[in-house]
Amino acid sequence: MESDLEDQRDHTSARDALDAIGNDRGRVGDRMSAETWWAAPAQGFAAALLVAGPFAGLQSAWLLFLASVLVSVGVEVFFRKRSGLSISRPAGPRGRALLTGLIFLHLVSLGVSVMLAVMGLRGWILAAAAIAGIYTALGGVAYDRTYAAEVRRAR
């Protein structure tokens, strides 16, 4: 008789714990989505700075690279302060695929930018940088939404 009562309490407390975890996941997803409005454009700006580096000349490109790194780190620090979240890796397979795709596009864009600088087509570097900034900002929004959805669904 006593063991039936204990099983009932264990089942109830386990259900309560799972419900609390589900609520926490929902709050994390909401916090992640709430910060996208400023983080995604800032990340796009950092990517544009990175790709625009060769526009300054191959000897001075490190200045724009440094500025890009500083903006990226600043976005991360500010995001952590505002949201209370620290994102160390994608939450699931869709986020991982999206992040891998963005990294690949950054490498291709940087390669194109260097190639344009070597060819003397410096004006086109700014176009490549603008495109990189736009797809990074849009990709950042998509990643944040995907991350939030994967955190909410995780089991």
Side-chain angles (χ1 to χ4, degrees):
M1 181 100 172
E2 202 173 300
S3 64
D4 289 340
L5 190 57
E6 285 177 15
D7 287 344
Q8 185 71 11
R9 275 185 271 169
D10 288 344
H11 180 67
T12 303
S13 63
R15 175 59 45 207
D16 291 342
L18 288 173
D19 289 343
I21 290 170
N23 291 337
D24 286 345
R25 288 177 192 264
R27 283 195 300 271
V28 167
D30 292 343
R31 277 210 234 135
M32 181 75 182
S33 300
E35 299 301 324
T36 300
W37 71 269
W38 64 269
Q43 291 166 335
F45 179 67
L49 284 173
L50 176 68
V51 175
F55 181 80
L58 295 178
Q59 288 79 20
S60 301
W62 68 272
L63 290 171
L64 289 177
F65 174 76
L66 179 63
S68 175
V69 170
L70 290 174
V71 169
S72 296
V73 170
V75 166
E76 180 64 22
V77 169
F78 195 60
F79 174 82
R80 286 181 184 197
K81 281 186 178 184
R82 281 183 51 109
S83 69
L85 299 174
S86 174
I87 310 302
S88 60
R89 61 186 179 91
R94 288 186 356 196
R96 192 174 307 111
L98 189 57
L99 190 59
T100 301
L102 280 172
I103 291 169
F104 176 75
L105 285 174
H106 287 140
L107 293 174
V108 168
S109 296
L110 188 56
V112 166
S113 182
V114 169
M115 183 182 70
L116 290 169
V118 169
M119 293 171 58
L121 302 171
R122 291 183 38 180
W124 286 100
I125 294 171
L126 296 180
I131 292 168
I134 291 168
Y135 75 67
T136 300
L138 294 175
V141 170
Y143 179 80
D144 289 351
R145 289 181 180 170
T146 300
Y147 189 93
E150 288 180 331
V151 165
R152 287 182 185 117
R153 277 198 311 262
R155 292 278 173 220

